[in-house]
Amino acid sequence: MAGDWLTIVLRLALYLDLAAAFGVAMFGLYALGNDERSSTISRRYRVLIGASAAIGIGLSMWGMTVMAKAMSGAQSYAELSTHVFDMLITGTHMGIAWCIRILALVTCVLIAVLRMNSTLRFAAMAASSGVALATLAWAGHGAMDDGVRGYIHLASDITHLWAAGAWVGALIAFLVLAANKPNTGQGSVEILSRTSNGFARIGTVIVAALVVTGALNYLLIAGPSLDPLFSTLYGRLLVGKLLLFGGMLALAAANRFRLSPSLEAALRTGNHAHAVVKLRQSLFTEATLAVLVLASVAWLGILSPNGT
């Protein structure tokens, strides 16, 4: 059981880490202007993305070691042989996906530290971290099917991961902008106001992708019957995840229709401190729910849909 909890924690850490790298890089592309991609805020995002990619390498290696120990039946990590790792890495689809992830994350780190055009940098970091995030589909139920059904399941799972990563990364990016003291950083506040008010279109696409792929994934894993939602631990945990997702939607709606417009109006009067604090509190609460959603996903990934 202790091994299961360690696996869940490592899965959660990877989801959060890779979602942050991909989502913040995407935010730099669709939300920031050309000049803003060379600003101080942009450099903070670049450091965050590069650090997340480096941490992702370490987490991936740790996760592979834990899996090797579990699959080999070794009593301690000292008993693991190179043969076990060779078998996992070269003999399984999950191992090949792991190698691709490591390569993508190393590429992302290099891009973060090299000197290049800022727009090209964000595009390259988004691409490399997106590949790394997509490889997590092979470590869950997305790899349970074969043939055409298997390709559909993997494609749906990858799309779900990308949409979730875009949402989580946007929350992190907004929180970075809102982290300045309310009476300082006017430029950051203006960017926060513009990007939060302009997030509606991409936010709608993200939510639509999550709903459609989430429903498809359930049909492929446990559907079409709804009985597993109430008769299994997998189903009850999934219901809890959906409730948390609903809470995120409610907060996102409040940000979109009340708090972001209030910040925009407050900027015109020059007294925006209170509006920034209110939006920051809402964003932090939404980010907390996002962590809980990803924790549910990390747990769901090791459960049997038919288990009790």
Side-chain angles (χ1 to χ4, degrees):
M1 188 62 182
D4 288 343
W5 283 114
L6 177 58
T7 299
I8 292 170
V9 170
L10 283 173
R11 285 169 62 87
L12 169 60
L14 261 178
Y15 282 133
L16 280 172
D17 184 76
L18 300 186
F22 172 70
V24 173
M26 287 297 297
F27 186 88
L29 279 178
Y30 66 74
L32 299 183
N34 288 329
D35 293 340
E36 292 166 345
R37 294 191 191 107
S38 302
S39 65
T40 300
I41 289 296
S42 169
R43 287 192 287 273
R44 292 179 188 173
Y45 289 158
R46 186 182 73 189
V47 170
L48 191 155
I49 295 164
S52 295
I55 292 170
I57 294 171
L59 288 172
S60 296
M61 290 181 173
W62 189 5
M64 177 58 73
T65 303
V66 170
M67 182 168 294
K69 179 176 179 291
M71 295 188 69
S72 67
Q75 297 300 310
S76 68
Y77 293 109
E79 297 178 15
L80 293 175
S81 65
T82 57
H83 172 71
V84 175
F85 290 102
D86 288 342
M87 179 184 67
L88 279 174
I89 292 173
T90 63
T92 65
H93 293 299
M94 182 187 62
I96 296 171
W98 182 89
C99 291
I100 294 172
R101 185 192 314 154
I102 295 296
L103 179 60
L105 290 174
V106 169
T107 302
C108 189
V109 171
L110 292 175
I111 293 168
V113 299
L114 292 176
R115 297 178 65 88
M116 63 173 63
N117 175 272
S118 57
T119 299
L120 178 60
R121 184 198 304 278
F122 273 103
M125 289 191 297
S128 55
S129 59
V131 169
L133 181 59
T135 63
L136 296 180
W138 278 266
H141 293 114
M144 65 185 285
D145 297 314
D146 297 318
V148 175
R149 181 185 174 98
Y151 291 123
I152 293 173
H153 200 166
L154 280 171
S156 178
D157 224 11
I158 290 170
T159 303
H160 200 78
L161 284 165
W162 281 340
W167 193 346
V168 171
L171 287 173
I172 293 171
F174 286 137
L175 284 169
V176 170
L177 289 170
N180 291 319
K181 294 180 180 180
N183 294 316
T184 61
Q186 180 76 15
S188 297
V189 175
E190 290 175 347
I191 297 173
L192 173 63
S193 176
R194 177 179 58 77
T195 54
S196 62
N197 278 287
F199 188 67
R201 183 177 299 177
I202 186 66
T204 300
V205 173
I206 288 171
V207 171
L210 287 172
V211 171
V212 171
T213 56
L216 179 57
N217 285 345
Y218 178 79
L219 289 173
L220 292 170
I221 295 171
S225 172
L226 296 180
D227 290 342
L229 289 176
F230 310 100
S231 61
T232 66
L233 174 59
Y234 180 92
R236 291 190 290 272
L237 189 58
L238 181 58
V239 170
K241 174 196 168 186
L242 293 175
L243 291 175
L244 292 168
F245 177 70
M248 290 183 66
L249 284 178
L251 287 168
N255 295 343
R256 169 67 181 88
F257 295 108
R258 186 167 63 87
L259 298 179
S260 293
S262 294
L263 176 58
E264 185 178 26
L267 270 173
R268 289 195 291 267
T269 66
N271 185 21
H272 59 267
H274 181 68
V276 171
V277 170
K278 295 292 290 185
L279 180 57
R280 182 168 61 222
Q281 289 172 343
S282 179
L283 289 168
F284 182 80
T285 304
E286 189 179 344
T288 301
L289 292 181
V291 172
L292 294 176
V293 167
L294 291 180
S296 302
V297 174
W299 193 354
L300 285 167
I302 69 168
L303 293 177
S304 169
N306 300 316
T308 56

